[in-house]
């Protein structure tokens, strides 16, 4: 009461009646919010339940990421349950500009509003002409001047199939060479060239890597040995491998575990194939359009491939795939390769807008700079947590490999990689013996992915045994957003380490097998290397 015995209305709770009305309104608002949350949860669970009952058992991402996206913009996805996520999967690298970028939406609306045909098979249209013009503007100079383009079915694997048909027709040969750890798609020939193929019909070559080098040495020496192996197979008349129709190469292996090819090795492979008239096919389905810090990943090494396989980001988030190749390979007869949906006008319009935006706004350079900073931050996780065995990547194509640091590992033999180490040779080993890296830990990687999702971060798994946590954020990622992404990832790794009952490794130390002491932390893995 006031000094005059009445109930004040200024700065107080109001009259009992007013207070009661306010509490009633607040109660109704809370009840409405609870009903909305219950409704959103029911929608979310219902859609997931029906998906599980009706869709193929072959579905993949939906198993590890039980979310129901209903809205998306840029880096952010909102689920049917109201939760928001930072999307570092980006449609497996398809969304160079993130979700629903204004320039992409504008380009699509322009075609829709114009009355232009949405489906045109392989007929010439203004939309297609603009797309090809912009695409050729971005190609490596040595290819752009004499390029031809074949529109394929809408997926990258369709373009790989077309590339294999092309080089076989052009060379009259049949064999294909590919690399261990590769991923080129899920159709027949593309799958046969991938690392997980069961029916081996393609010659496998060693792909250089530092952390799990197939020769146990890594670095420039490991890359040199890989190149020598390739050269030997090509030149040895007793290798059992005829000269192939083509050799297919990923400049950065994505599904293989985010492994950048050393630039010097890539140039060496280009020389080996060029000198022997073997067409070199660069699979840039995921690495293209600025993802690795150059417009095309082959630009890092400066090579000009004979054939480029392109998809994902070139469609601006819509289905589109093409093969670009040197004009002298264009020996196909009319109709030798076709596809009903090779004339997707909306994808071409969205792709033109995306290619131009990435080029004009120098997003490849942005990806290189920001990716390098993020890689350094990921390196801090490797220093701190024993379960992080390696971090690597290029541009905004990043990964960290989860390992079991407590597992027993073997020491490399002293002379396993010696040059001329036969009796009386007197030659020193090519590399000092060392410990093999700990085994991959797919269960830990899956646990990190789950913990990331709990914190509102979407990441992908890849690599051998699915032990590599992959980051593929849009090229429009800001510094502030990258900090949020890495903070959530670091929290997830810490939570997994805590559950596993391991203490963080001290800075400058790495957990080794019991009784074997500790090994010094290795460098953050990028690409490059000496000639």
């Amino acid at each position: 009461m006031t000094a005059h015995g009445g109930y004040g209305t200024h700065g107080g709770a109001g009259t009992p009646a007013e207070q009661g009305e306010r509490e009633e309104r607040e109660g109704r608002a809370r009840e409405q919010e609870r009903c909305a949350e219950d409704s959103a949860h029911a929608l979310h669970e219902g859609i997931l339940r029906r998906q599980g009952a009706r869709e193929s058992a072959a579905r993949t991402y939906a198993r590890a990421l039980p979310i129901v996206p209903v809205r998306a913009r840029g880096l952010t996805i909102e689920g049917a349950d109201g939760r928001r996520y930072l999307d570092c999967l980006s449609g497996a690298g398809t969304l160079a500009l993130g979700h629903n970028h204004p320039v992409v939406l504008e380009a699509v609306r322009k075609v829709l509003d114009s009355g232009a045909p949405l489906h045109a098979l392989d007929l010439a249209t203004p939309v297609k002409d603009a797309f090809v013009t912009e695409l050729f503007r971005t190609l490596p100079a040595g290819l752009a001047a004499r390029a031809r383009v074949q529109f394929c079915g809408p997926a990258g694997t369709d373009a790989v199939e077309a590339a294999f048909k092309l080089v076989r027709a052009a060379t009259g040969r049949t064999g294909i060479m590919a690399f261990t750890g590769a991923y080129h798609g899920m159709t027949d020939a593309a799958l046969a060239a991938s690392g997980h193929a069961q029916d081996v019909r393609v010659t496998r070559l060693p792909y250089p890597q530092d952390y799990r080098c197939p020769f146990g040495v890594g670095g420039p020496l490991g890359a040199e040995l890989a190149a020598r192996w390739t050269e030997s197979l090509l030149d040895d008349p007793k290798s059992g491998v005829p000269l192939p129709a083509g050799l297919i190469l990923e400049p950065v292996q994505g599904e293989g575990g985010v492994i950048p090819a050393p630039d010097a090795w890539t140039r060496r492979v280009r020389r080996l194939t060029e000198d022997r008239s073997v067409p070199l096919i660069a699979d840039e389905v995921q690495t293209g359009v600025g993802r690795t810090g150059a417009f095309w990943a082959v630009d890092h090494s400066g090579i000009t491939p004979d054939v480029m396989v392109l998809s994902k980001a070139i469609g601006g988030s819509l289905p589109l795939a093409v093969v670009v190749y040197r004009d002298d390979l264009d020996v196909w007869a009319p109709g030798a390769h076709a596809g009903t949906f090779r004339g997707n006008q909306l994808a071409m319009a969205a792709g033109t807008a995306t290619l131009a935006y990435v080029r004009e706004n120098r997003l490849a350079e942005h990806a290189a700079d920001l990716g390098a900073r993020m890689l350094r931050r990921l390196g801090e996780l490797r220093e701190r947590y024993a379960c992080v065995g390696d971090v690597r990547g290029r541009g905004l194509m990043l990964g960290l490999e989860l390992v079991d640091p407590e597992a027993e590992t073997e020491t490399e033999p002293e002379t396993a990689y010696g040059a001329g180490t036969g009796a009386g040779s007197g030659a020193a080993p090519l590399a000092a013996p060392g410990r093999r890296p700990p085994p991959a830990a797919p269960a830990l990687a899956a646990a990190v992915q789950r913990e990331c999702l709990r914190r509102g971060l979407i990441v992908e798994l890849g690599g051998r045994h699915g032990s590599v946590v992959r980051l593929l954020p849009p090229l429009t990622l800001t510094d502030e957003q990258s900090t949020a992404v890495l903070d959530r990832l670091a929290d997830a790794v810490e939570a997994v380490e805590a559950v596993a009952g391991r203490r963080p490794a001290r800075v400058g130390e790495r957990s080794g097998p019991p009784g074997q002491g500790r090994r010094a932390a290795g460098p953050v893995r990028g690409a490059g290397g000496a000639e």
Side-chain angles (χ1 to χ4, degrees), residues 354-418:
T354 298
L355 293 170
Y357 191 90
V358 171
R359 177 179 56 81
E360 292 168 358
N361 290 276
R362 305 177 68 85
L363 291 190
E365 291 89 336
H366 171 71
D369 294 341
L370 182 56
R373 294 197 296 274
M374 292 180 71
L375 196 58
R376 286 193 292 271
R377 174 93 185 269
L378 290 174
E380 295 173 6
L381 296 185
R382 186 187 186 280
E383 295 287 334
R384 178 167 176 76
Y385 299 108
C387 69
V388 179
D390 193 31
V391 298
R392 51 189 181 255
R394 200 158 201 177
L396 290 176
M397 191 172 182
L398 305 168
L400 63 161
E401 182 169 339
L402 278 293
V403 299
D404 180 1
E406 297 176 359
E408 291 284 351
T409 57
E410 299 178 6
T411 301
E412 303 290 359
E414 291 260 353
T415 59
Y417 308 104

Side-chain angles (χ1 to χ4, degrees), residues 55-195:
E55 290 191 26
S56 163
R59 65 190 186 280
T60 54
Y61 295 110
R63 296 181 184 277
L65 303 170
I67 62 176
V68 181
V70 293
R71 277 174 292 277
R73 189 64 176 260
L75 179 67
T76 304
I77 286 179
E78 182 179 336
D81 57 358
R83 291 196 64 196
R84 293 191 173 188
Y85 303 87
L86 303 181
D87 181 12
C88 281
L89 175 57
S90 299
T94 299
L95 305 171
L97 305 183
H99 293 275
N100 293 320
H101 193 280
V103 300
V104 173
L105 297 182
E106 181 183 1
V108 170
R109 289 193 188 104
K110 185 176 179 180
V111 174
L112 291 173
D113 293 343
S114 72
L118 302 184
H119 185 288
L121 294 173
D122 62 355
L123 300 178
T125 69
V127 173
K128 178 194 276 190
D129 183 65
F131 172 78
V132 174
T133 298
E134 183 59 41
L135 175 63
F136 279 29
R137 183 178 289 140
T138 70
L139 293 176
L143 181 59
R146 38 184 314 204
R148 295 289 185 272
V149 60
Q150 168 72 32
F151 288 84
C152 311
T157 188
D158 301 311
V160 171
E161 297 275 347
F164 289 170
K165 286 176 63 176
L166 172 73
V167 296
R168 283 169 171 151
T171 65
R173 302 189 291 264
T174 59
I176 297 292
M177 283 185 165
F179 291 89
T180 55
Y183 179 79
H184 298 295
M186 295 298 290
T187 52
D188 185 63
L191 179 61
S194 298

Side-chain angles (χ1 to χ4, degrees), residues 189-257:
L191 179 61
S194 298
H196 55 289
Q198 300 299 311
D199 181 13
V200 179
R201 290 173 284 149
V202 171
T203 301
R204 306 288 169 177
L205 303 169
Y207 192 92
Q209 54 175 307
D210 289 340
Y211 191 59
R212 297 190 186 278
C213 174
F215 304 104
V217 293
L221 178 56
E224 169 64 18
L225 292 174
R228 288 188 189 183
W229 182 278
T230 301
E231 184 175 14
S232 175
L233 281 184
L234 288 169
D235 292 347
D236 184 354
K238 297 293 186 180
S239 69
V241 180
L243 197 66
L247 183 150
I248 187 166
L249 164 71
E250 294 168 282
V252 180
Q253 287 193 343
E255 295 299 321

